[in-house]
Amino acid sequence: EFRKGKATAHPVPWVPPARFEQILPDGAGGVFVASTTGFYRFRDDRWEPVSIVLRPQQVVLTLLADGRGGVWLGTTEGLVHYAGGATRAYALDRGVGAPVTSIIADRSGNLWVGLGRSGLARISPEQIFSYSAADGLPESDVTALVEDQAGGIHAITRRMHTATISGERIV
């Protein structure tokens, strides 16, 4: 932690070789931390495990604040939403928990989810849309998602191909 030019170390509550996967401000002066051993909140100079329901080998890969105090967690086996002490899991690849490698929210309130080798999904308030190589993605291994200044969504694949989602089309 860096405050007023001074660095302070806060030993983590897990044992190596576990590692940090992602860190996210919690909106209350602390941070959420995803590690290969679990999900934690660090605030007021202490670590607190966050009680979420995950399978034994399920690892959190990416985080996104939902804007209402909750957090979306992309895991090796699907998408999990944590809010108010409760968790809800979403399997987005035809009922199979595909790895969620990236998550972003667009200006229209849609949640965009990179599904590793299964393409990507757009979750609107009404329904879920999925996109794969069969729909025009250069490959289905989506590793990152970006929204541009005009609101366009761009998917980046493991082999560094890019695709732009334009309405229901992939360019």
Side-chain angles (χ1 to χ4, degrees):
E1 176 180 17
F2 292 94
R3 281 191 195 175
K4 299 180 182 176
K6 182 181 177 198
T8 304
H10 300 281
V12 294
W14 56 83
V15 181
R19 65 182 187 276
F20 281 95
E21 291 293 335
Q22 195 156 48
I23 188 167
L24 176 75
D26 70 358
V31 293
F32 287 112
V33 176
S35 88
T36 53
T37 61
F39 185 52
Y40 302 87
R41 175 180 272 159
F42 181 79
R43 66 178 170 187
D44 301 325
D45 293 331
R46 29 173 237 174
W47 290 98
E48 304 167 3
V50 178
S51 181
I52 59 172
V53 179
L54 296 177
R55 294 186 184 111
Q57 300 302 316
Q58 193 173 7
V59 175
V60 178
L61 301 174
T62 188
L63 301 172
L64 177 72
D66 71 2
R68 298 180 306 274
V71 179
W72 290 101
L73 298 91
T75 77
T76 53
E77 298 180 27
L79 185 65
V80 175
H81 187 250
Y82 168 80
T87 58
R88 183 172 177 191
Y90 297 83
L92 301 174
D93 185 20
R94 295 176 180 84
V96 177
V100 172
T101 54
S102 57
I103 313 167
I104 63 169
D106 69 17
R107 297 173 194 171
S108 300
N110 296 305
L111 193 67
W112 291 86
V113 181
L115 297 173
R117 294 189 170 124
S118 297
L120 67 113
R122 176 172 50 101
I123 304 169
S124 75
E126 298 84 32
Q127 63 188 125
I128 298 173
F129 299 89
S130 63
Y131 305 85
S132 68
D135 300 306
L137 283 175
E139 65 176 311
S140 289
D141 200 349
V142 174
T143 58
L145 295 164
V146 179
E147 182 178 19
D148 64 26
Q149 291 180 342
I153 300 296
H154 306 276
I156 297 99
T157 69
R158 185 160 312 282
R159 292 188 186 124
M160 302 306 290
H161 294 108
T162 60
T164 301
I165 293 78
S166 178
E168 299 302 316
R169 294 181 330 116
I170 296 173
V171 182

Short mmCIF file of all heavy atoms in Angstrom, two decimals, residues 60-102:
data_model
loop_
_atom_site.label_atom_id
_atom_site.label_comp_id
_atom_site.label_asym_id
_atom_site.label_seq_id
_atom_site.Cartn_x
_atom_site.Cartn_y
_atom_site.Cartn_z
N VAL A 60 -10.94 -17.51 -9.42
CA VAL A 60 -11.39 -16.22 -9.93
C VAL A 60 -10.31 -15.65 -10.83
O VAL A 60 -9.15 -15.53 -10.43
CB VAL A 60 -11.71 -15.25 -8.78
CG1 VAL A 60 -12.13 -13.89 -9.32
CG2 VAL A 60 -12.78 -15.83 -7.86
N LEU A 61 -10.68 -15.29 -12.07
CA LEU A 61 -9.72 -14.78 -13.06
C LEU A 61 -9.83 -13.27 -13.29
O LEU A 61 -8.85 -12.63 -13.64
CB LEU A 61 -9.93 -15.48 -14.41
CG LEU A 61 -9.79 -16.99 -14.41
CD1 LEU A 61 -10.19 -17.55 -15.77
CD2 LEU A 61 -8.37 -17.38 -14.04
N THR A 62 -11.03 -12.71 -13.12
CA THR A 62 -11.22 -11.30 -13.42
C THR A 62 -12.38 -10.76 -12.59
O THR A 62 -13.26 -11.53 -12.17
CB THR A 62 -11.45 -11.08 -14.93
OG1 THR A 62 -11.47 -9.68 -15.22
CG2 THR A 62 -12.72 -11.73 -15.42
N LEU A 63 -12.38 -9.45 -12.34
CA LEU A 63 -13.39 -8.80 -11.52
C LEU A 63 -13.95 -7.57 -12.22
O LEU A 63 -13.23 -6.91 -12.97
CB LEU A 63 -12.78 -8.34 -10.19
CG LEU A 63 -12.13 -9.38 -9.29
CD1 LEU A 63 -11.42 -8.69 -8.13
CD2 LEU A 63 -13.16 -10.36 -8.77
N LEU A 64 -15.21 -7.24 -11.92
CA LEU A 64 -15.82 -6.01 -12.40
C LEU A 64 -16.83 -5.54 -11.37
O LEU A 64 -17.71 -6.32 -10.97
CB LEU A 64 -16.52 -6.22 -13.75
CG LEU A 64 -17.26 -5.01 -14.32
CD1 LEU A 64 -16.28 -3.95 -14.80
CD2 LEU A 64 -18.21 -5.42 -15.43
N ALA A 65 -16.72 -4.29 -10.93
CA ALA A 65 -17.71 -3.71 -10.03
C ALA A 65 -19.01 -3.53 -10.80
O ALA A 65 -19.01 -3.14 -11.96
CB ALA A 65 -17.22 -2.38 -9.48
N ASP A 66 -20.14 -3.81 -10.14
CA ASP A 66 -21.42 -3.68 -10.84
C ASP A 66 -22.04 -2.29 -10.71
O ASP A 66 -23.09 -2.03 -11.25
CB ASP A 66 -22.41 -4.76 -10.38
CG ASP A 66 -22.93 -4.56 -8.97
OD1 ASP A 66 -22.59 -3.57 -8.31
OD2 ASP A 66 -23.71 -5.43 -8.51
N GLY A 67 -21.39 -1.39 -9.97
CA GLY A 67 -21.90 -0.03 -9.80
C GLY A 67 -22.93 0.12 -8.70
O GLY A 67 -23.40 1.21 -8.43
N ARG A 68 -23.30 -0.98 -8.07
CA ARG A 68 -24.28 -0.94 -6.99
C ARG A 68 -23.74 -1.60 -5.71
O ARG A 68 -24.51 -2.05 -4.87
CB ARG A 68 -25.57 -1.64 -7.44
CG ARG A 68 -26.24 -0.96 -8.62
CD ARG A 68 -27.52 -1.67 -9.04
NE ARG A 68 -27.39 -3.08 -9.30
CZ ARG A 68 -27.02 -3.62 -10.47
NH1 ARG A 68 -26.74 -2.85 -11.48
NH2 ARG A 68 -26.92 -4.92 -10.61
N GLY A 69 -22.42 -1.71 -5.61
CA GLY A 69 -21.81 -2.32 -4.43
C GLY A 69 -21.49 -3.79 -4.57
O GLY A 69 -20.89 -4.39 -3.70
N GLY A 70 -21.91 -4.40 -5.68
CA GLY A 70 -21.63 -5.80 -5.92
C GLY A 70 -20.46 -5.97 -6.87
O GLY A 70 -19.93 -5.00 -7.41
N VAL A 71 -20.06 -7.21 -7.08
CA VAL A 71 -18.92 -7.53 -7.94
C VAL A 71 -19.27 -8.71 -8.82
O VAL A 71 -19.85 -9.70 -8.36
CB VAL A 71 -17.67 -7.90 -7.09
CG1 VAL A 71 -16.50 -8.25 -7.98
CG2 VAL A 71 -17.30 -6.78 -6.14
N TRP A 72 -18.93 -8.59 -10.11
CA TRP A 72 -18.98 -9.73 -11.03
C TRP A 72 -17.62 -10.40 -10.99
O TRP A 72 -16.59 -9.72 -11.06
CB TRP A 72 -19.27 -9.26 -12.46
CG TRP A 72 -20.66 -8.77 -12.66
CD1 TRP A 72 -21.08 -7.47 -12.70
CD2 TRP A 72 -21.83 -9.58 -12.84
NE1 TRP A 72 -22.43 -7.42 -12.89
CE2 TRP A 72 -22.92 -8.70 -12.99
CE3 TRP A 72 -22.05 -10.95 -12.89
CZ2 TRP A 72 -24.22 -9.15 -13.19
CZ3 TRP A 72 -23.35 -11.39 -13.10
CH2 TRP A 72 -24.42 -10.51 -13.24
N LEU A 73 -17.59 -11.72 -10.85
CA LEU A 73 -16.36 -12.49 -10.81
C LEU A 73 -16.34 -13.43 -12.01
O LEU A 73 -17.24 -14.26 -12.16
CB LEU A 73 -16.27 -13.32 -9.53
CG LEU A 73 -16.24 -12.55 -8.21
CD1 LEU A 73 -17.64 -12.36 -7.68
CD2 LEU A 73 -15.42 -13.31 -7.20
N GLY A 74 -15.35 -13.28 -12.86
CA GLY A 74 -15.14 -14.23 -13.94
C GLY A 74 -14.25 -15.33 -13.41
O GLY A 74 -13.17 -15.07 -12.88
N THR A 75 -14.70 -16.57 -13.51
CA THR A 75 -13.95 -17.69 -12.94
C THR A 75 -13.60 -18.71 -14.02
O THR A 75 -14.06 -18.62 -15.15
CB THR A 75 -14.76 -18.41 -11.83
OG1 THR A 75 -15.74 -19.25 -12.42
CG2 THR A 75 -15.41 -17.42 -10.87
N THR A 76 -12.83 -19.69 -13.62
CA THR A 76 -12.47 -20.77 -14.54
C THR A 76 -13.68 -21.61 -14.92
O THR A 76 -13.60 -22.40 -15.85
CB THR A 76 -11.40 -21.68 -13.90
OG1 THR A 76 -11.87 -22.10 -12.60
CG2 THR A 76 -10.07 -20.98 -13.78
N GLU A 77 -14.81 -21.44 -14.22
CA GLU A 77 -16.01 -22.24 -14.49
C GLU A 77 -17.27 -21.40 -14.61
O GLU A 77 -18.35 -21.83 -14.24
CB GLU A 77 -16.18 -23.30 -13.41
CG GLU A 77 -15.03 -24.28 -13.37
CD GLU A 77 -15.22 -25.33 -12.30
OE1 GLU A 77 -16.36 -25.65 -11.93
OE2 GLU A 77 -14.19 -25.85 -11.83
N GLY A 78 -17.15 -20.19 -15.13
CA GLY A 78 -18.34 -19.39 -15.35
C GLY A 78 -18.31 -18.05 -14.64
O GLY A 78 -17.28 -17.60 -14.13
N LEU A 79 -19.47 -17.41 -14.60
CA LEU A 79 -19.64 -16.07 -14.06
C LEU A 79 -20.36 -16.16 -12.72
O LEU A 79 -21.32 -16.92 -12.56
CB LEU A 79 -20.47 -15.25 -15.05
CG LEU A 79 -20.68 -13.78 -14.77
CD1 LEU A 79 -19.35 -13.03 -14.84
CD2 LEU A 79 -21.66 -13.20 -15.80
N VAL A 80 -19.89 -15.37 -11.75
CA VAL A 80 -20.50 -15.33 -10.43
C VAL A 80 -20.77 -13.87 -10.08
O VAL A 80 -19.92 -13.01 -10.32
CB VAL A 80 -19.59 -15.98 -9.36
CG1 VAL A 80 -20.17 -15.84 -7.97
CG2 VAL A 80 -19.32 -17.44 -9.69
N HIS A 81 -21.93 -13.59 -9.52
CA HIS A 81 -22.22 -12.24 -9.03
C HIS A 81 -22.28 -12.29 -7.51
O HIS A 81 -22.94 -13.16 -6.93
CB HIS A 81 -23.55 -11.73 -9.59
CG HIS A 81 -23.80 -10.30 -9.24
ND1 HIS A 81 -24.78 -9.92 -8.36
CD2 HIS A 81 -23.18 -9.17 -9.65
CE1 HIS A 81 -24.77 -8.61 -8.24
NE2 HIS A 81 -23.80 -8.13 -9.01
N TYR A 82 -21.56 -11.37 -6.86
CA TYR A 82 -21.54 -11.28 -5.41
C TYR A 82 -22.11 -9.92 -5.02
O TYR A 82 -21.65 -8.88 -5.50
CB TYR A 82 -20.10 -11.40 -4.88
CG TYR A 82 -19.98 -11.04 -3.42
CD1 TYR A 82 -20.34 -11.94 -2.43
CD2 TYR A 82 -19.52 -9.78 -3.02
CE1 TYR A 82 -20.24 -11.61 -1.09
CE2 TYR A 82 -19.42 -9.44 -1.68
CZ TYR A 82 -19.79 -10.35 -0.72
OH TYR A 82 -19.71 -10.03 0.61
N ALA A 83 -23.14 -9.91 -4.18
CA ALA A 83 -23.74 -8.66 -3.69
C ALA A 83 -24.44 -8.92 -2.37
O ALA A 83 -25.16 -9.91 -2.23
CB ALA A 83 -24.73 -8.09 -4.70
N GLY A 84 -24.20 -8.05 -1.42
CA GLY A 84 -24.89 -8.15 -0.14
C GLY A 84 -24.70 -9.47 0.57
O GLY A 84 -25.60 -9.94 1.26
N GLY A 85 -23.55 -10.10 0.39
CA GLY A 85 -23.26 -11.36 1.06
C GLY A 85 -23.80 -12.59 0.35
O GLY A 85 -23.60 -13.70 0.81
N ALA A 86 -24.49 -12.39 -0.78
CA ALA A 86 -25.04 -13.53 -1.52
C ALA A 86 -24.32 -13.69 -2.86
O ALA A 86 -23.86 -12.72 -3.45
CB ALA A 86 -26.54 -13.31 -1.77
N THR A 87 -24.23 -14.93 -3.33
CA THR A 87 -23.63 -15.20 -4.64
C THR A 87 -24.65 -15.89 -5.54
O THR A 87 -25.52 -16.61 -5.06
CB THR A 87 -22.38 -16.10 -4.52
OG1 THR A 87 -22.74 -17.32 -3.90
CG2 THR A 87 -21.27 -15.43 -3.76
N ARG A 88 -24.49 -15.63 -6.83
CA ARG A 88 -25.31 -16.31 -7.84
C ARG A 88 -24.39 -16.67 -8.99
O ARG A 88 -23.66 -15.82 -9.50
CB ARG A 88 -26.43 -15.39 -8.31
CG ARG A 88 -27.34 -16.06 -9.31
CD ARG A 88 -28.54 -15.22 -9.62
NE ARG A 88 -29.34 -15.89 -10.63
CZ ARG A 88 -30.33 -15.34 -11.27
NH1 ARG A 88 -30.66 -14.10 -11.00
NH2 ARG A 88 -30.99 -16.01 -12.17
N ALA A 89 -24.43 -17.93 -9.41
CA ALA A 89 -23.57 -18.41 -10.49
C ALA A 89 -24.34 -18.45 -11.80
O ALA A 89 -25.54 -18.73 -11.81
CB ALA A 89 -23.04 -19.81 -10.16
N TYR A 90 -23.62 -18.15 -12.89
CA TYR A 90 -24.19 -18.18 -14.23
C TYR A 90 -23.31 -19.05 -15.12
O TYR A 90 -22.10 -18.81 -15.21
CB TYR A 90 -24.23 -16.77 -14.85
CG TYR A 90 -25.10 -15.81 -14.09
CD1 TYR A 90 -24.61 -15.14 -12.97
CD2 TYR A 90 -26.40 -15.55 -14.49
CE1 TYR A 90 -25.40 -14.25 -12.27
CE2 TYR A 90 -27.20 -14.66 -13.80
CZ TYR A 90 -26.69 -14.01 -12.69
OH TYR A 90 -27.47 -13.14 -12.00
N ALA A 91 -23.88 -20.05 -15.76
CA ALA A 91 -23.17 -20.86 -16.75
C ALA A 91 -23.61 -20.34 -18.11
O ALA A 91 -24.78 -20.41 -18.46
CB ALA A 91 -23.51 -22.33 -16.60
N LEU A 92 -22.70 -19.76 -18.88
CA LEU A 92 -23.06 -19.04 -20.10
C LEU A 92 -22.80 -19.79 -21.39
O LEU A 92 -23.16 -19.33 -22.45
CB LEU A 92 -22.30 -17.71 -20.14
CG LEU A 92 -22.55 -16.79 -18.96
CD1 LEU A 92 -21.66 -15.58 -19.03
CD2 LEU A 92 -24.01 -16.38 -18.92
N ASP A 93 -22.16 -20.95 -21.32
CA ASP A 93 -21.83 -21.69 -22.53
C ASP A 93 -22.73 -22.92 -22.63
O ASP A 93 -22.31 -24.03 -22.37
CB ASP A 93 -20.35 -22.09 -22.51
CG ASP A 93 -19.91 -22.75 -23.79
OD1 ASP A 93 -20.58 -22.57 -24.82
OD2 ASP A 93 -18.88 -23.45 -23.76
N ARG A 94 -24.00 -22.68 -22.97
CA ARG A 94 -24.99 -23.75 -23.11
C ARG A 94 -25.06 -24.62 -21.85
O ARG A 94 -25.04 -25.84 -21.93
CB ARG A 94 -24.72 -24.59 -24.35
CG ARG A 94 -24.87 -23.79 -25.63
CD ARG A 94 -24.50 -24.64 -26.83
NE ARG A 94 -24.64 -23.87 -28.05
CZ ARG A 94 -23.71 -23.06 -28.54
NH1 ARG A 94 -22.58 -22.90 -27.91
NH2 ARG A 94 -23.93 -22.41 -29.67
N GLY A 95 -25.05 -23.96 -20.70
CA GLY A 95 -25.15 -24.69 -19.44
C GLY A 95 -23.83 -25.16 -18.88
O GLY A 95 -23.75 -25.61 -17.77
N VAL A 96 -22.76 -25.05 -19.66
CA VAL A 96 -21.43 -25.45 -19.20
C VAL A 96 -20.74 -24.21 -18.67
O VAL A 96 -20.83 -23.14 -19.25
CB VAL A 96 -20.60 -26.05 -20.36
CG1 VAL A 96 -19.21 -26.39 -19.89
CG2 VAL A 96 -21.31 -27.28 -20.90
N GLY A 97 -20.06 -24.32 -17.57
CA GLY A 97 -19.36 -23.18 -16.99
C GLY A 97 -18.04 -22.91 -17.71
O GLY A 97 -16.99 -23.33 -17.27
N ALA A 98 -18.10 -22.23 -18.84
CA ALA A 98 -16.88 -21.89 -19.59
C ALA A 98 -16.05 -20.89 -18.79
O ALA A 98 -16.60 -20.09 -18.03
CB ALA A 98 -17.25 -21.28 -20.95
N PRO A 99 -14.72 -20.89 -18.95
CA PRO A 99 -13.89 -19.91 -18.26
C PRO A 99 -14.26 -18.49 -18.71
O PRO A 99 -14.42 -18.24 -19.89
CB PRO A 99 -12.47 -20.24 -18.70
CG PRO A 99 -12.52 -21.59 -19.30
CD PRO A 99 -13.93 -21.81 -19.76
N VAL A 100 -14.43 -17.60 -17.76
CA VAL A 100 -14.70 -16.19 -18.05
C VAL A 100 -13.38 -15.45 -17.92
O VAL A 100 -12.85 -15.29 -16.82
CB VAL A 100 -15.77 -15.61 -17.12
CG1 VAL A 100 -15.91 -14.11 -17.32
CG2 VAL A 100 -17.10 -16.31 -17.37
N THR A 101 -12.83 -15.01 -19.06
CA THR A 101 -11.50 -14.40 -19.09
C THR A 101 -11.53 -12.88 -19.05
O THR A 101 -10.51 -12.26 -18.77
CB THR A 101 -10.75 -14.85 -20.35
OG1 THR A 101 -11.56 -14.57 -21.50
CG2 THR A 101 -10.46 -16.34 -20.30
N SER A 102 -12.68 -12.27 -19.33
CA SER A 102 -12.80 -10.81 -19.27
C SER A 102 -14.26 -10.42 -19.13
O SER A 102 -15.15 -11.15 -19.57
CB SER A 102 -12.17 -10.16 -20.50
OG SER A 102 -12.77 -10.66 -21.67
#
